[in-house]
Amino acid sequence: MSTCTTASRDLDEPLAGTAATARTWLLLEQPGPWGPEALTSSHLDPELGRALEAAAEGTGVRIALIRRPGRHADCGTPAARQIYAAHTVPGTMWLRTATTSEPERLLDLDLAALGRGDSGTFDSVFRAEPHTGDPLAFVCTNGKRDRCCALLGRPLATELTTSGVEGVWEVTHLGGHRFSPTLLVLPFGYAYGRAQAPHVKEILQGVRDGRVVVEGCRGSSAWERPAQAAELAVRTAAHEYAADALTVVRTDGTAPRWEVTIAHTDGRLWRVLVAQGASLPPRPDSCGSPLGSPARMDVVSVRELLTTVAGDPAHC
């Protein structure tokens, strides 16, 4: 059976620069079935879902629903729901957790502040605490949005859970169905595609060690897509895998060409030229969609800059 995933894989479509963009993730447990637009087509109150979508617009916060791996029969409203909030920008990363029986209180949050990295209202409204357990892996499994997420994501989530991996959740939507199985790893905020269980275990061990595994990585959700590709290219070129070592200083230009400046905590700088191309030959973005040429981020060059004693960049 041909699917959007098999077409993307067979055509060797690159993964880098395809992650969803979100400086902050807000994740609410919602058991039961999910529809294509899960915030308004699940057993969450659709009015609450619409209000949350509107409140998050332009804040840098991405809201998604999560559930435990397994069967998803309607078991009624849970007495207490798990909630996570995570800010993914290097240097200011945090992951907070809480439970609530009143999901409508999400509307009391200052989402603009959350997007800037201020967890104050999340902490006060839900009495949240830092997440201190294992890293979290959110596997996209929403088959009503794309069948590949169900066919490939659900078995991955189940396999990870039954093999004893802690912190595995199903999530409604991470974008890029054609890269299924896809997952988001917190607290670092890197997304992965075409994931298999042994590789996910390696990724999670890397998180425990403070490392980023670049194989199969789509990018950090903290950055826009050109910067995602640029940051991964610098990690590969410099053999630098420490999670907090690199940050995106600036991105200059507009589509289809950008110059991205990446900084290391030790003062080194790189300038990365990224060009937007079209994936050819045409392939479906999603199962059932017409053939198209999805945008891809191609790294044209990676150049380390000389730096002065004062730390200002000087051209090589």
Side-chain angles (χ1 to χ4, degrees):
M1 177 178 63
S2 179
T3 63
C4 65
T5 298
T6 55
S8 175
R9 184 187 63 239
D10 292 348
L11 294 169
D12 199 24
E13 186 176 352
L15 291 167
T18 67
T21 300
R23 293 191 303 273
T24 300
W25 291 85
L26 183 58
L27 303 161
L28 170 67
E29 183 178 4
Q30 177 57 60
W34 297 331
E37 302 295 335
L39 281 180
T40 54
S41 55
S42 69
H43 290 172
L44 183 71
D45 179 353
E47 290 190 9
L48 173 59
R50 282 190 288 271
L52 288 171
E53 287 179 336
E57 187 71 28
T59 64
V61 176
R62 187 178 178 104
I63 303 174
L65 303 181
I66 59 175
R67 63 192 177 195
R68 300 286 185 179
R71 300 186 65 184
H72 305 300
D74 181 7
C75 299
T77 301
R81 305 165 191 250
Q82 190 74 42
I83 314 175
Y84 295 105
H87 188 63
T88 61
V89 176
T92 59
M93 287 181 189
W94 47 257
L95 174 57
R96 313 284 289 175
T97 183
T99 58
T100 186
S101 58
E102 301 175 286
E104 63 274 9
R105 297 210 64 195
L106 289 169
L107 294 175
D108 296 334
L109 299 178
D110 184 341
L111 294 185
L114 273 180
R116 295 191 301 268
D118 179 356
S119 67
T121 57
F122 186 75
D123 294 343
S124 60
V125 169
F126 294 113
R127 298 182 181 179
E129 298 179 347
H131 174 75
T132 56
D134 285 323
L136 303 177
F138 298 90
V139 181
C140 186
T141 63
N142 191 354
K144 290 296 178 66
R145 196 166 180 101
D146 188 279
R147 62 179 174 172
C148 287
C149 297
L151 292 172
L152 301 173
R154 287 181 187 171
L156 174 62
T158 299
E159 181 180 356
L160 290 168
T161 300
T162 56
S163 67
V165 178
E166 300 290 337
V168 178
W169 291 84
E170 298 185 7
V171 68
T172 48
H173 182 50
L174 297 176
H177 318 295
R178 63 192 185 279
F179 305 123
S180 295
T182 63
L183 70 145
L184 171 76
V185 178
L186 295 177
F188 293 166
Y190 285 84
Y192 291 83
R194 303 183 188 128
Q196 301 298 318
H199 187 217
V200 175
K201 294 176 182 179
E202 178 188 350
I203 291 165
L204 295 176
Q205 185 57 52
V207 176
R208 295 184 191 97
D209 297 339
R211 294 181 294 105
V212 175
V213 173
V214 298
E215 182 184 356
C217 191
R218 300 175 62 195
S220 166
S221 68
W223 315 124
E224 297 294 333
R225 291 181 176 179
Q228 293 173 11
E231 190 243 22
L232 290 174
V234 170
R235 286 193 179 279
T236 300
H239 306 288
E240 178 54 82
Y241 307 113
D244 57 356
L246 300 180
T247 192
V248 176
V249 175
R250 58 185 293 167
T251 300
D252 298 306
T254 57
R257 208 167 178 86
W258 300 266
E259 275 195 345
V260 183
T261 304
I262 307 289
H264 195 289
T265 51
D266 66 10
R268 284 180 289 166
L269 292 171
W270 290 264
R271 190 155 292 156
V272 184
L273 183 60
V274 180
Q276 178 176 302
S279 298
L280 295 172
R283 79 287 310 272
D285 251 337
S286 184
C287 287
S289 67
L291 296 181
S293 300
R296 53 185 283 169
M297 296 296 153
D298 294 319
V299 173
V300 177
S301 63
V302 177
R303 180 165 58 96
E304 186 173 354
L305 304 180
L306 297 178
T307 54
T308 66
V309 174
D312 294 325
H315 294 288
C316 294

